[in-house]
Amino acid sequence: MTTDQSTATRPLPTTSLRKTALIAGLLYLLTFVSIPTLALYGSVHDPNYILGPGPDAPVLVGGVLEVIVALAGIGTAVVLFPVLKRQNEGVALGLVGSRVLEAAGILAGVACLLSIVSLRQTGAGTGALATGQTLAVLYDRIFLLSQSLMPVVNDLLLGFLLYQSRLVPRVLPLLAFIGAPLLLASWIGVLFGLWGQRSPLTALAALPVALFEFSLGVDLTVKDFKPSPITADMV
């Protein structure tokens, strides 16, 4: 085999830009690990959960999954920041800030559920029922802010940056522009009691945003950023 043939068969080195896209993509996919929490948290919303039998493991596992989501969410914005700031540093910094706020809300919600578990494990009794129910309601209210409202802000900022920079196929940020207003409308409906937080309508309104983030995760994982003027001098 000649030297030229040997060189031709070698894989091209992974550039730092490709590593950025890959890590961001994997982190976006990681944010979907909390999907099972809807089932895992079913028992903790029972008004008599503190007094009832059964394991606490599902709630604890759900809490761990949500912590992972919170950290992965911050990671997506931090990893993409060096690239996105070349398009608009202020908006890119806003994305990091909104992701941090979202993560803080997620962690606060997990703390509420872990407190309910602690009340149960310590045998707090009937006197703590009202406290447990209050913590469960507080989790729902925090969820409404952190995981229903903040994704609207996140995806509008990210969609704007991706649309302007053309780093990914244009259809992806368009999904964000469609999904964010739908999610906001759903959030307003839940806030004013027009429909429930766990209603099919609420779940349906969240689908476009979920599709945007999942598709973005897959695209960045299996592909590189598309050629763009803002990455022309990056390697």
Side-chain angles (χ1 to χ4, degrees):
M1 181 180 292
T2 65
T3 303
D4 290 342
Q5 290 174 324
S6 177
T7 302
T9 58
R10 292 176 186 169
L12 294 174
T14 303
T15 65
S16 61
L17 194 60
R18 175 66 192 120
K19 290 178 181 177
T20 297
L22 176 61
I23 294 171
L26 292 174
L27 287 172
Y28 261 106
L29 294 179
L30 190 58
T31 61
F32 284 85
V33 300
S34 67
I35 290 177
T37 56
L38 186 62
L40 293 172
Y41 288 162
S43 61
V44 80
H45 284 88
D46 184 335
N48 296 313
Y49 174 79
I50 291 177
L51 303 178
D56 297 316
V59 181
L60 298 176
V61 171
V64 171
L65 294 179
E66 286 207 275
V67 170
I68 292 173
V69 169
L71 298 178
I74 295 175
T76 59
V78 171
V79 170
L80 289 174
F81 180 76
V83 179
L84 297 178
K85 73 176 183 179
R86 290 168 166 258
Q87 178 62 44
N88 189 310
E89 186 169 0
V91 177
L93 188 59
L95 177 61
V96 174
S98 67
R99 274 299 200 181
V100 171
L101 284 175
E102 177 187 24
I106 293 173
L107 295 178
V110 171
C112 290
L113 296 186
L114 295 183
S115 297
I116 298 174
V117 172
S118 295
L119 289 173
R120 188 190 204 195
Q121 292 177 343
T122 57
T126 57
L129 280 177
T131 302
Q133 294 166 14
T134 300
L135 288 169
V137 171
L138 183 58
Y139 170 82
D140 287 342
R141 296 294 93 180
I142 293 175
F143 185 98
L144 188 62
L145 294 173
S146 62
Q147 299 191 64
S148 293
L149 178 61
M150 290 311 301
V152 174
V153 179
N154 296 337
D155 289 351
L156 284 177
L157 294 175
L158 181 59
F160 170 80
L161 291 166
L162 294 178
Y163 188 85
Q164 292 293 321
S165 62
R166 299 175 181 266
L167 289 169
V168 298
R170 302 301 288 276
V171 67
L172 294 182
L174 288 177
L175 273 175
F177 296 148
I178 294 171
L182 286 176
L183 189 57
L184 179 61
S186 173
W187 180 83
I188 292 173
V190 173
L191 183 67
F192 287 94
L194 301 181
W195 49 81
Q197 191 166 341
R198 297 178 183 82
S199 70
L201 184 60
T202 302
L204 187 63
L207 279 180
V209 161
L211 180 60
F212 162 64
E213 295 192 358
F214 183 79
S215 300
L216 179 62
V218 172
D219 185 80
L220 294 179
T221 299
V222 302
K223 301 178 184 178
D224 201 347
F225 292 114
K226 293 182 67 177
S228 171
I230 69 170
T231 58
D233 60 342
M234 298 182 70
V235 295

